Amino acid sequence: MKIDLTDTTAGEINKALVRGRRAIGTPAVGMVLTLVIVTDEENAYDALKAANDASREHPSRTLVVIKRVSRGPRDRTASRLDAEVRVGADAGTGETVVLRLYGEIVEHADSVVLPLLLPDAPVVVWWPVNAPLDPAKDPLGALAQRRVTDSYAAEQPVRELAARAAAYTPGDTDLSWTRITPWRSMLAAALDQVDCEVRGVEVEGEEFNPSCELLAMWLADRLDVPVRRSPSTGPGLTAVRLDTSRGPITLDRADGSLATLAIEGQPARAVALKRRDTAELIAEELRRLDPDDTYASALRYGVERLGAVPKQSADAPAETATAEASEPVTEPATAEASEPVTEPATAEAAEPVTEPATAEAAEPVAAPEPVEEAAKAPAKKAAAKSAKKAPARKAAAK
C-alpha cells in the first residue's frame, strides 16, 4: 500500500502510517529499529531495495531522506516536504517513508526525521554515497547509535580511509570493512590449525579497493608483521599469502566466488567465498549495534604504515645502523691520528738523535720531503705538531 503526500508535515506522515497499518490489518508495531538512509535521487532505488531485503531479518521503519537540489534562487528560499508512505508488501516486513526535501528545509533534515523515529528503539543512519567527513557531527548522524558509510563509493577511497580514521567516533562503521568479514574469519581459522609464527603477509587485490587496504591494516595490526599490498585486476580481493615458520598459507580467490585454501602439509581445500550484495552487508551491520573496536584499531593503524618494519624488530636494525655509522667515524679518525703522530714523529726524531754529526749533511738529502709532504698532506701537519712537542730535536740540531 502506498500513500502519496505533497507539501506535507511530519504530523501528517505519522497519521498516514497509522491509516496504512489499519488498512492492511496490522495496527501493532513490531519493528526493532529505525533505519535512516541519506542518499540522492540517483541511488535511492538501489539503497531502498537493499533495505527492504534486509528488513526480512530486521523488521524496521525505513526513512529515506532525499535532498533535492534547488535550480534557482527562488526555489532555494521556498521549503517543501513531499512524502511517500509504504506499508505492507511494498515495504518488506516493516514500514517505509520516502522523504523528498526542497529549499531551506534541506539544511534541517533532522527536524523532519526526529518526529518519525520509533520510540525507545535504536537508530541507524546509512549513507550509501556522499557521506560526511565526520558522521558523528552530522545533524542526522547525531541521532543514531550506529553510523554506516561506504568508502568504496568515494572518489578517492584510500584518502577516505584516512579521513575516517581522523574523525572516528565509537559507532562508526564502513561497508568496505563488512565485505571482508568472511576473509577475516577464514584466515583466523587457518592460523588456528597450525602452530606457527607469521613472518610476513601479502594482500593481493584491486588497486583502489578500500577493502583490500582494511584487510592489510587488520593483519598488520593483529600480527605485528610487515604487510605488502600487491595490485591485481580483481574482482575485489583476490589472494592473501602468509609466510610462516611452518610454510606458506595461501587463500586464493581468482573468480570472485570460490576460493582455495592451501596450508603446507595439508591438501588444498575449496572454500565458498562469494562476493555479497548490499542487502547482506546491511543485514550484517544491523545484527550488532555496539561499537566495533576491531574496526577502529585496524582503521587507526594507517595505510601509510603498510610494509613497514614492526615495532618489536625495529630496535635491532637501529642498533646495527648505529654501530655501522659509528665505525667509519672512529676508525678512520684513529688511523689518521696514529699514522702521522707515531711514525713520522718517531722517524724524524730518531734521525737527529742517533746521527747528530751528519745532521747538516742530511738536510740536503732531505730534499725529497716535499714529495712526501705532497703525497701525505695530513702527515705534514701532524709532524709539525709533533716537532713542537719534541725538544730533543732542537737540542740535537744545535
Side-chain angles (χ1 to χ4, degrees):
M1 180 178 180
K2 295 182 181 181
I3 303 175
D4 291 328
L5 301 173
T6 303
D7 197 6
T8 185
T9 61
E12 294 295 329
I13 296 172
N14 272 321
K15 294 178 182 179
L17 287 170
V18 175
R19 291 198 307 269
R21 286 197 299 268
R22 290 177 177 175
I24 63 175
T26 57
V29 178
M31 290 161 286
V32 297
L33 58 88
T34 302
L35 176 61
V36 181
I37 304 174
V38 186
T39 183
D40 52 15
E41 200 71 59
E42 180 182 358
N43 299 276
Y45 175 81
D46 294 334
L48 186 55
K49 184 178 183 301
N52 289 340
D53 294 341
S55 68
R56 293 181 172 86
E57 184 176 344
H58 308 280
S60 59
R61 173 178 289 181
T62 304
L63 304 177
V64 184
V65 179
I66 302 175
K67 300 178 180 181
R68 299 298 298 268
V69 179
S70 300
R71 298 183 179 276
R74 184 177 301 176
D75 296 335
R76 295 190 187 98
T77 57
S79 298
R80 196 180 85 209
L81 172 62
D82 296 343
E84 181 182 338
V85 179
R86 304 179 184 180
V87 293
D90 295 324
T93 59
E95 300 173 345
T96 300
V97 180
V98 180
L99 304 170
R100 289 181 172 86
L101 284 62
Y102 301 83
E104 293 181 350
I105 198 174
V106 171
E107 304 298 332
H108 307 281
D110 54 321
S111 62
V112 178
V113 171
L114 186 59
L116 302 177
L117 300 178
L118 289 174
D120 301 326
V123 179
V124 179
V125 179
W126 172 32
W127 290 270
V129 292
N130 302 325
L133 293 178
D134 192 349
K137 292 184 179 180
D138 185 81
L140 289 174
L143 302 175
Q145 289 78 33
R146 191 78 163 171
R147 295 164 293 275
V148 184
T149 59
D150 191 356
S151 56
Y152 187 75
E155 185 176 353
Q156 296 179 334
V158 178
R159 292 187 179 180
E160 192 77 7
L161 292 178
R164 294 280 172 265
Y168 175 80
T169 303
D172 294 352
T173 190
D174 195 331
L175 291 186
S176 297
W177 171 258
T178 314
R179 291 184 180 96
I180 62 174
T181 299
W183 286 83
R184 295 188 291 119
S185 302
M186 195 62 60
L187 292 172
L191 289 176
D192 287 341
Q193 300 178 27
V194 183
D195 185 11
C196 63
E197 178 184 356
V198 181
R199 300 168 180 170
V201 181
E202 180 184 2
V203 177
E204 184 181 279
E206 292 177 340
E207 186 175 359
F208 299 105
N209 192 319
S211 296
C212 302
E213 310 295 340
L214 284 170
L215 181 62
M217 289 189 290
W218 173 72
L219 289 169
D221 180 52
R222 290 297 169 181
L223 299 177
D224 196 20
V225 296
V227 179
R228 185 166 62 92
R229 273 280 287 116
S230 299
S232 69
T233 57
L237 268 166
T238 53
V240 176
R241 302 177 183 88
L242 307 177
D243 180 19
T244 70
S245 57
R246 298 287 296 274
I249 298 176
T250 304
L251 183 60
D252 192 350
R253 186 190 67 178
D255 58 355
S257 60
L258 189 64
T260 302
L261 176 63
I263 302 177
E264 187 73 16
Q266 299 182 14
R269 286 164 284 183
V271 180
L273 206 62
K274 72 179 184 67
R275 305 189 71 189
R276 299 180 295 169
D277 56 14
T278 308
E280 294 182 62
L281 301 177
I282 287 295
E284 179 183 333
E285 285 300 331
L286 296 180
R287 292 188 194 114
R288 53 174 300 176
L289 300 178
D290 56 322
D292 193 344
D293 297 332
T294 306
Y295 165 71
S297 180
L299 185 65
R300 287 170 174 167
Y301 182 85
V303 182
E304 66 281 354
R305 293 178 58 188
L306 293 179
V309 179
K311 297 179 182 179
Q312 294 181 355
S313 61
D315 296 334
E319 295 176 359
T320 306
T322 305
E324 294 176 357
S326 61
E327 287 176 359
V329 174
T330 56
E331 291 183 356
T334 306
E336 291 177 1
S338 61
E339 289 176 1
V341 172
T342 57
E343 294 179 359
T346 306
E348 293 177 4
E351 288 177 1
V353 173
T354 55
E355 298 178 0
T358 58
E360 297 178 358
E363 290 179 358
V365 180
E369 286 183 1
V371 178
E372 296 178 358
E373 291 176 359
K376 296 182 180 180
K380 183 178 179 181
K381 296 181 180 179
K385 293 182 180 179
S386 63
K388 295 180 181 180
K389 298 181 181 180
R393 182 179 178 182
K394 295 182 179 180
K398 292 179 180 181

